[in-house]
C-alpha cells in the first residue's frame, strides 16, 4: 500500500498501516537487533553490541589470572569472552569473570570525593578540596601525635604499579612507618613459610603441573569453588591422578576426590607430621635429593618420629587404613604435587603446617619437576604483587629494610636519598589494629579493602575505627562497611578502567587494561597517588612516576638480581604479546634472543635461595586450639568460601544481578543433621549463631558435608566475622578464621521481628 503525501489516510488505511509501524522489517534499529546463530558469541550478540576489535586483559578477581577477551566498540568494552589462547585459562572462565564488566555499572559506585561535615554527613567536594583535606588531615595527625601515628591498610586488588607507588609515597615520602595489606588475611602464612624454607617467597609451580601430576594432595583447599579454572586444569590431567583431599568438610573438591581424609579441625599439622614419619619409616625418601639439597633432615626425622600413626589418627578422627593408603599414594607416586590455600593459611599454626607440606615435597624429591611441588594457591588477583611491591613488611621489591646494601640498591633504583628509606619494617596488620586501641595510631588510610567487614572479630574493629582522628577510605564503591566510618572518601577507578599489571599464583605478570571510562570524577588509584604526592610537596621526588608503565620500569630496576628479577621484560607490549610472563625473566635470560617459555617452574636445578642453596626442613611443637568447643559453646565454627559466584566481602559480586541469582543472598550455616535433631532445628529454619564476641542470624542448612559438632558459614556475609576469634599465627601474623566455639539456637517466630 502506498499513500501519497497529498492524501490523508482513512481510518481503514490507518489500521492496515499500524502493524508496519510497530514491526518494521527493515531499517537501522531492526538490523541492530537481528541475531545471527552460529556466529561469535553463539549468535546472541546483536549488531548494536558487535565489536570493532578485541583485546586481552587479565581478570581482576582471583589469583588464577585468567585472560579475558574484551570486545571493544568505539574504544569501549561492550562485552567479553574467555581468551582461548591465554596460557592460564585456555578459553575458560568462571561466572565472576563473565560478569567482570557488569559490576562496573553500579549505582553504588563512588563518583565524587566525599567529606564528612560537622553534622556527621558525607558531602560532595571537589578533587582540589579532597587532596587538600587529605594532606592537611594526615599532616595534622602527624604534627599532634608523631609521624608514626598514621598508617595505611592496602590490598591485593590494585595493580603492582599502584602498590609500588603507594608504598614508596607513604614510607619514603610521607614518613608513614606502619602499613600492611589485606593479603595479611590470606597469604602471609605462605609467604613466611616459603621465605623460611626456600629463602624467598617463591611459589615454585606452573599451572601445567595440574595436568602433569599422577598424585595430587589438596590440604585445606577447595579449588572447585575457590579457583574453578584451576580445577578445570586438574580435570584435563590425562594421567588419571590419585586426588587426595585433607579437609574437615566434605567440600565439592573432596566429593570429587579419590580419597578424602575428613579430619577433625586443626589436626592437620600432627597428621602431616605422622605422614612424614611414615614416609621415612617406609623409605619413600629421595636420599640423594635430601643429602644434596636440604638442611635439617635429622632434626625432622627425630621430631616426627614421636607422631605415631595410630594415635594421630585417633585424635584426628581418621582410620589408620585410610591414612596409610594416602601415604602409599604419595610415596609411590612419580610426580606428586601438594596444594594448599586458606584452610592452612588462616590458622594459628598455619606457617608450620605449610612447612610440613613443604617438608613432604622435599624429602620425597617432589619439587622442580613437572607435576610436583609444594604449591600455595594464592587468593586475590594481585596478592602476589602485594607480596613483592607493597613496601610494607618487605622493602620495595622484596628486599630487607635491615640490610644496608638493599636500602642502597632500592634508593638508587628509585633515585631518592637512602636516608629516606627506614631501617625497620612495619607492624603487622593486627598490631596496627592494636595501635588504634592503644592510641598509637590516630590516622588511617584504607585503600581498596573493606576491613570493617573482613577483619576478625568485626565488632571490635568497627568500634576502633570510630576512635580514629582521621579515616580516609579510597574505594570504587561508596557503600562498603568501612566507608560508613570514613571522614573522607576518595573515589577510585576499578578493574577495566585503568592500566597496570597483576601477578598470578604461578608468578605470571599479566596486563590490566583500560577499556572503560571510570564514572563521574573517579580516578585510577595511580593518579590519586600522583595528586597526593604533588599536594604533599613530593612532586620532584616522584617526578619519574608519570604513568603505570613508567613505574614498571622503576620496578624492573629494583628487581635486578632478585629471585623475582624482571629486568628482561621488554615492557607492556611483550607481556601482552606473550600472554603474560612469569618471573624470573632477567636481562641475561632475555639476551639469549628467545621469548620466555610459557610454563616455567622453579628449583629444577635443586638450588634454593638460602646462601648455601639448600632448602630448610622446619618443624615445631603443636599448639592446642585456642578456643575449643565446650559445654557453653559446643560447636566449632568453620568459615570459608561459599559459592563460585561469591567473592570476599561481596563488594563487587553483589553488584551483578546474575551473580546474586547464583548464590543465597541471605546468610546460611551448614549443620550436620544429627546436631539439627538434637537442637530441634529443621532444614530451612532461622537460627541464631552465638559466640563469645557476637551473634548472627542465618538459615540452617542441614547437610552431611560437615561433621557433627561442627558448622560452616561462608565468609562473604557481613555477619560472619561478628563471631570469629582474634587469634593469630605467631610467625606470619595471619588471623585464624577457621575455628572458634559457637552455640546455635532456633529463632522462634515470636523472637524475630
Amino acid at each position: 500500500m502506498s499513500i501519497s503525501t497529498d492524501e490523508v489516510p482513512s481510518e481503514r488505511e490507518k489500521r492496515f498501516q499500524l502493524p508496519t509501524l510497530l514491526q518494521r522489517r527493515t531499517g537501522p534499529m531492526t538490523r541492530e537487533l537481528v541475531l545471527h546463530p552460529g556466529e561469535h558469541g553463539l549468535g546472541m550478540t546483536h549488531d548494536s553490541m558487535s565489536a570493532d576489535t578485541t583485546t586481552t586483559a587479565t581478570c581482576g578477581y582471583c589469583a588464577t589470572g585468567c585472560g579475558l577477551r574484551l570486545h571493544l566498540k568505539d574504544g569501549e568494552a561492550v562485552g567479553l569472552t574467555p581468551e582461548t589462547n591465554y596460557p592460564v585459562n585456555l578459553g575458560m572462565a568462571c561466572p565472576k569473570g563473565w560478569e567482570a564488566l557488569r559490576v562496573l555499572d553500579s549505582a553504588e559506585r563512588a563518583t565524587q570525593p566525599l567529606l564528612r561535615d560537622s553534622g556527621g554527613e558525607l558531602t560532595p567536594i571537589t578533587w582540589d578540596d579532597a587532596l587538600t583535606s587529605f594532606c592537611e588531615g594526615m599532616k595534622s595527625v602527624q604534627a599532634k601525635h608523631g609521624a608514626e601515628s598514621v598508617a595505611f591498610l592496602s590490598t591485593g586488588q590494585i595493580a603492582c604499579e599502584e602498590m609500588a607507588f603507594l608504598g614508596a609515597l607513604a614510607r619514603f615520602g610521607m614518613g608513614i612507618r606502619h602499613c600492611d595489606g589485606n593479603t595479611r588475611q590470606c597469604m602471609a602464612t605462605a609467604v613466611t613459610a616459603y621465605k623460611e624454607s626456600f629463602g624467598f617467597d617463591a611459589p615454585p609451580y606452573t599451572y601445567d603441573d595440574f595436568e602433569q601430576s599422577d598424585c595430587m594432595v589438596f590440604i585445606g583447599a577447595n579449588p572447585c569453588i575457590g579457583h574453578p579454572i584451576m580445577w578445570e586444569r586438574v580435570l584435563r590431567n590425562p594421567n588419571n591422578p590419585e586426588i587426595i583431599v585433607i579437609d574437615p568438610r566434605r567440600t565439592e573438591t573432596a566429593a570429587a576426590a579419590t580419597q578424602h581424609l575428613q579430619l577433625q579441625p586443626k589436626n592437620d599439622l600432627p597428621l602431616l607430621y605422622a605422614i612424614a614419619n611414615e614416609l621415612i619409616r617406609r623409605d619413600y625418601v629421595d636420599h640423594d635429593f635430601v643429602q644434596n639439597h636440604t638442611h635439617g633432615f635429622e632434626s625432622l626425622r627425630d621430631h616426627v618420629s614421636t607422631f605415631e600413626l595410630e594415635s594421630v589418627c585417633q585424635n584426628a578422627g581418621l582410620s589408620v587404613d585410610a591414612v596409610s593408603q594416602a601415604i602409599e599414594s604419595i610415596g609411590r607416586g612419580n610426580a606428586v604435587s601438594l596444594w594448599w590455600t586458606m584452610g592452612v593459611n588462616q590458622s594459628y599454626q598455619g606457617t608450620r603446617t605449610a612447612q610440613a607440606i613443604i617438608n613432604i615435597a622435599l624429602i620425597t624429591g617432589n619439587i622442580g619437576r613437572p607435576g610436583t611441588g609444594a604449591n600455595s594457591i594464592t587468593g586475590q588477583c594481585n596478592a602476589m604483587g602485594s607480596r613483592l611491591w607493597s613496601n610494607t613488611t618487605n622493602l620495595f621489591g622484596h628486599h630487607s629494610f635491615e640490610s644496608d646494601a638493599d636500602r642502597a640498591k632500592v634508593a638508587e633504583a628509585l633515585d631518592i636519598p637512602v636516608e629516606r628509606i627506614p631501617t625497620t619494617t612495619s607492624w603487622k596488620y593486627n598490631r596496627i589494629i592494636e595501635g588504634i586501641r592503644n592510641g598509637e595510631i590516630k590516622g588511617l588510610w584504607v585503600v581498596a579493602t573493606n576491613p570493617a567487614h573482613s577483619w576478625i572479630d568485626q565488632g571490635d574493629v568497627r568500634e576502633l575505627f570510630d576512635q580514629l582522628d582521621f579515616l580516609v577510605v579510597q574505594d570504587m564503591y561508596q557503600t562498603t562497611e568501612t566507608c560508613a566510618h570514613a571522614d573522607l572518601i576518595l573515589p577510585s577507578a576499578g578493574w577495566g578502567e585503568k592500566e597496570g599489571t597483576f601477578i598470578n599464583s604461578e608468578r605470571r605478570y599479566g596486563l590490566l587494561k583500560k577499556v572503560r571510562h571510570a564514572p563521574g570524577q573517579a580516578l585510577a588509584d595511580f593518579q590519586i597517588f600522583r595528586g597526593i604526592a604533588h599536594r604533599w610537596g613530593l612532586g620532584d621526588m616522584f617526578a619519574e612516576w608519570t604513568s603505570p608503565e613508567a613505574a614498571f620500569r622503576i620496578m624492573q630496576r629494583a628487581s635486578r638480581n632478585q629471585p623475582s628479577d624482571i629486568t628482561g621484560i621488554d615492557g607492556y607490549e611483550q607481556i601482552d604479546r606473550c600472554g603474560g610472563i612469569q618471573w624470573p625473566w632477567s636481562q641475561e635470560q632475555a639476551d639469549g634472543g628467545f621469548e620466555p617459555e610459557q610454563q616455567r617452574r622453579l628449583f629444577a636445578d635443586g638450588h634454593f635461595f638460602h646462601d648455601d642453596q639448600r632448602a630448610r626442613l622446619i618443624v615445631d611443637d603443636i599448639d592446642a586450639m585456642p578456643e575449643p568447643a565446650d559445654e557453653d559453646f559446643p560447636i566449632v565454627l568453620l568459615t570459608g568460601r561459599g559459592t563460585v559466584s561469591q567473592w570476599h566481602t561481596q563488594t563487587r559480586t553483589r553488584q551483578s544481578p546474575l551473580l546474586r541469582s547464583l548464590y543465597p543472598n541471605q546468610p546460611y550455616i551448614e549443620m550436620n543433621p544429627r546436631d539439627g535433631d538434637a537442637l530441634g532445628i529443621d532444614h530451612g529454619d532461622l537460627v541464631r549463631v552465638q559466640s563469645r564476641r557476637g551473634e548472627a542470624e542465618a538459615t540452617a542448612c542441614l547437610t552431611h558435608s560437615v561433621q557433627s559438632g561442627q558448622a560452616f558459614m561462608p565468609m562473604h556475609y557481613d555477619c560472619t566475622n561478628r563471631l570469629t576469634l582474634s587469634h593469630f599465627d605467631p610467625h606470619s601474623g595471619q588471623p585464624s578464621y577457621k575455628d572458634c566455639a559457637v552455640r546455635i539456637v532456633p529463632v522462634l517466630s515470636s523472637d524475630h521481628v
Side-chain angles (χ1 to χ4, degrees):
M1 176 186 298
S2 62
I3 304 175
S4 77
T5 56
D6 297 326
E7 298 175 356
V8 178
S10 67
E11 289 301 316
R12 181 174 182 277
E13 288 171 331
K14 288 179 182 179
R15 290 198 301 272
F16 276 105
Q17 191 178 8
L18 186 59
T20 305
L21 295 175
L22 292 177
Q23 185 179 6
R24 295 289 299 273
R25 298 185 180 276
T26 60
M29 289 185 64
T30 299
R31 288 196 301 272
E32 288 175 1
L33 296 174
V34 171
L35 303 181
H36 302 281
E39 294 186 5
H40 183 72
L42 303 179
M44 300 306 291
T45 301
H46 49 73
D47 286 354
S48 67
M49 294 185 67
S50 63
D52 302 327
T53 187
T54 63
T55 190
T56 300
T58 302
C59 182
Y61 273 104
C62 79
T64 304
C66 294
L68 300 177
R69 182 184 299 163
L70 297 157
H71 310 167
L72 306 181
K73 186 179 182 67
D74 299 327
E76 289 256 324
V78 294
L80 61 80
T81 49
E83 177 54 65
T84 55
N85 295 321
Y86 205 72
V88 168
N89 51 311
L90 308 175
M92 300 175 283
C94 79
K96 296 186 296 294
W98 279 102
E99 285 289 281
L101 290 172
R102 177 64 183 86
V103 301
L104 301 176
D105 303 323
S106 167
E108 297 183 19
R109 290 295 302 272
T111 59
Q112 55 189 334
L114 300 172
L115 181 68
R116 198 170 298 278
D117 60 23
S118 58
E121 297 296 321
L122 287 168
T123 58
I125 57 174
T126 66
W127 265 112
D128 187 64
D129 289 340
L131 295 175
T132 298
S133 297
F134 177 93
C135 294
E136 289 181 351
M138 291 300 185
K139 286 183 176 182
S140 174
V141 171
Q142 288 181 318
K144 184 176 181 180
H145 302 285
E148 296 182 2
S149 64
V150 170
F152 77 72
L153 296 174
S154 184
T155 180
Q157 297 286 324
I158 61 177
C160 293
E161 296 79 359
E162 294 173 330
M163 291 174 180
F165 202 165
L166 170 61
L169 169 64
R171 300 212 66 180
F172 307 153
M174 298 167 63
I176 293 176
R177 176 186 172 190
H178 299 304
C179 45
D180 206 349
N182 61 17
T183 47
R184 179 71 58 186
Q185 297 164 263
C186 61
M187 299 314 303
T189 286
V191 174
T192 306
Y194 277 144
K195 286 173 68 176
E196 292 182 357
S197 294
F198 293 160
F200 196 80
D201 175 19
Y205 62 96
T206 184
Y207 291 162
D208 187 55
D209 291 321
F210 284 118
E211 302 181 30
Q212 298 294 326
S213 300
D214 57 27
C215 177
M216 313 181 77
V217 187
F218 292 94
I219 306 102
N222 186 16
C224 278
I225 292 299
H227 298 84
I229 303 308
M230 293 188 190
W231 185 250
E232 291 283 356
R233 297 294 296 265
V234 174
L235 298 179
R236 294 165 62 99
N237 188 312
N239 301 319
N240 191 28
E242 199 70 24
I243 299 176
I244 304 166
V245 171
I246 301 174
D247 201 298
R249 294 175 60 221
R250 185 166 176 78
T251 63
E252 293 81 356
T253 305
T258 57
Q259 301 177 44
H260 178 202
L261 302 182
Q262 193 171 8
L263 75 173
Q264 292 295 311
K266 298 305 141 199
N267 277 270
D268 44 4
L269 183 54
L271 176 63
L272 291 165
Y273 281 165
I275 290 173
N277 183 35
E278 286 297 308
L279 289 168
I280 294 170
R281 192 180 67 80
R282 302 181 194 189
D283 198 24
Y284 287 130
V285 175
D286 186 332
H287 295 283
D288 288 341
F289 187 89
V290 168
Q291 181 177 351
N292 295 321
H293 302 292
T294 70
H295 177 79
F297 179 74
E298 291 76 13
S299 297
L300 166 70
R301 181 189 59 204
D302 294 345
H303 182 83
V304 301
S305 66
T306 62
F307 290 83
E308 294 291 340
L309 190 60
E310 291 78 7
S311 60
V312 169
C313 287
Q314 183 176 5
N315 292 334
L318 298 170
S319 77
V320 171
D321 288 345
V323 177
S324 184
Q325 180 185 354
I327 292 166
E328 289 296 315
S329 298
I330 295 168
R332 295 179 182 275
N334 294 314
V336 181
S337 57
L338 301 104
W339 309 82
W340 81 88
T341 182
M342 297 311 126
V344 169
N345 289 345
Q346 292 176 337
S347 168
Y348 59 90
Q349 55 187 9
T351 299
R352 295 299 183 243
T353 304
Q355 287 165 334
I357 298 168
I358 293 170
N359 293 343
I360 291 172
L362 290 171
I363 67 174
T364 58
N366 278 295
I367 199 160
R369 296 183 288 108
T372 66
N375 304 327
S376 161
I377 299 174
T378 311
Q380 298 176 78
C381 59
N382 201 26
M384 274 295 299
S386 178
R387 290 147 73 168
L388 282 174
W389 297 114
S390 66
N391 208 33
T392 53
T393 51
N394 296 299
L395 176 58
F396 194 88
H398 218 302
H399 292 87
S400 171
F401 284 100
E402 291 79 12
S403 167
D404 292 341
D406 282 1
R407 291 197 307 276
K409 176 186 173 185
V410 170
E412 182 180 6
L414 273 64
D415 192 23
I416 62 174
V418 71
E419 294 77 22
R420 284 279 193 173
I421 300 179
T423 59
T424 55
T425 189
S426 166
W427 287 343
K428 296 182 177 69
Y429 203 126
N430 60 306
R431 181 64 181 87
I432 292 172
I433 299 299
E434 285 304 304
I436 301 174
R437 189 189 314 280
N438 300 335
E440 299 161 292
I441 300 296
K442 303 298 289 184
L444 187 65
W445 184 10
V446 177
V447 181
T449 187
N450 188 17
H453 179 140
S454 63
W455 189 245
I456 205 162
D457 190 2
Q458 178 193 101
D460 178 61
V461 77
R462 291 186 180 187
E463 290 181 6
L464 292 177
F465 283 169
D466 289 334
Q467 296 179 21
L468 291 163
D469 288 357
F470 193 47
L471 173 60
V472 179
V473 179
Q474 185 169 317
D475 206 289
M476 62 185 289
Y477 297 102
Q478 63 186 25
T479 53
T480 71
E481 289 83 357
T482 307
C483 281
H485 300 264
D487 297 295
L488 175 65
I489 296 176
L490 304 179
S492 60
W495 174 91
E497 297 169 346
K498 57 184 180 177
E499 298 177 334
T501 59
F502 292 152
I503 309 174
N504 76 350
S505 286
E506 55 169 358
R507 314 177 316 281
R508 184 182 303 274
Y509 280 83
L511 277 187
L512 168 67
K513 295 182 181 178
K514 182 176 181 178
V515 292
R516 285 276 186 94
H517 293 289
Q521 300 173 39
L523 296 175
D525 293 286
F526 191 92
Q527 299 305 327
I528 295 174
F529 301 145
R530 276 196 90 196
I532 290 171
H534 282 270
R535 189 58 55 91
W536 197 278
L538 299 168
D540 291 341
M541 184 177 179
F542 293 98
E544 191 179 350
W545 298 69
T546 56
S547 69
E549 190 160 14
F552 185 79
R553 290 191 289 270
I554 297 170
M555 293 156 52
Q556 287 183 285
R557 296 199 300 260
S559 78
R560 183 174 296 280
N561 298 324
Q562 286 289 90
S564 53
D565 193 326
I566 53 171
T567 54
I569 296 178
D570 190 16
Y572 283 4
E573 190 278 332
Q574 188 186 30
I575 296 175
D576 198 23
R577 185 176 71 249
C578 292
I581 298 175
Q582 291 175 291
W583 67 254
W585 189 246
S586 66
Q587 186 61 61
E588 290 72 22
Q589 290 171 294
D591 285 343
F594 302 104
E595 293 275 50
E597 294 180 52
Q598 286 293 358
Q599 305 292 339
R600 292 181 291 120
R601 58 188 57 80
L602 302 179
F603 311 131
D605 58 2
H607 293 165
F608 296 88
F609 298 120
H610 288 292
D611 290 341
D612 61 3
Q613 298 186 333
R614 291 173 176 266
R616 303 293 190 261
L617 298 165
I618 299 172
V619 291
D620 209 341
D621 295 332
I622 304 293
D623 292 323
M625 188 185 296
E627 189 180 73
D630 58 20
E631 185 175 347
D632 293 328
F633 297 90
I635 292 176
V636 175
L637 178 67
L638 314 174
T639 68
R641 299 205 187 281
T643 76
V644 70
S645 301
Q646 290 170 302
W647 186 250
H648 291 192
T649 64
Q650 299 187 90
T651 301
R652 279 187 293 170
T653 50
R654 66 185 173 85
Q655 310 299 334
S656 162
L658 175 61
L659 294 179
R660 285 202 310 272
S661 73
L662 297 177
Y663 64 79
N665 286 192
Q666 300 304 315
Y668 65 93
I669 184 166
E670 295 181 3
M671 302 173 57
N672 188 278
R674 281 184 290 177
D675 294 334
D677 290 343
L679 296 169
I681 295 170
D682 291 328
H683 185 79
D685 283 355
L686 187 66
V687 299
R688 184 171 293 116
V689 188
Q690 300 171 324
S691 76
R692 290 179 173 87
R693 290 150 298 281
E695 64 180 39
E697 290 188 354
T699 301
C701 176
L702 302 187
T703 171
H704 290 282
S705 64
V706 292
Q707 302 177 75
S708 182
Q710 300 166 31
F712 170 81
M713 282 187 72
M715 65 181 183
H716 316 290
Y717 302 108
D718 64 358
C719 63
T720 302
N721 279 321
R722 298 175 195 166
L723 308 168
T724 47
L725 171 68
S726 290
H727 58 129
F728 307 89
D729 180 282
H731 308 286
S732 68
Q734 184 154 348
S736 185
Y737 287 98
K738 303 299 185 185
D739 59 285
C740 71
V742 300
R743 59 173 168 247
I744 304 174
V745 297
V747 175
L748 303 178
S749 57
S750 59
D751 297 336
H752 188 68
V753 180

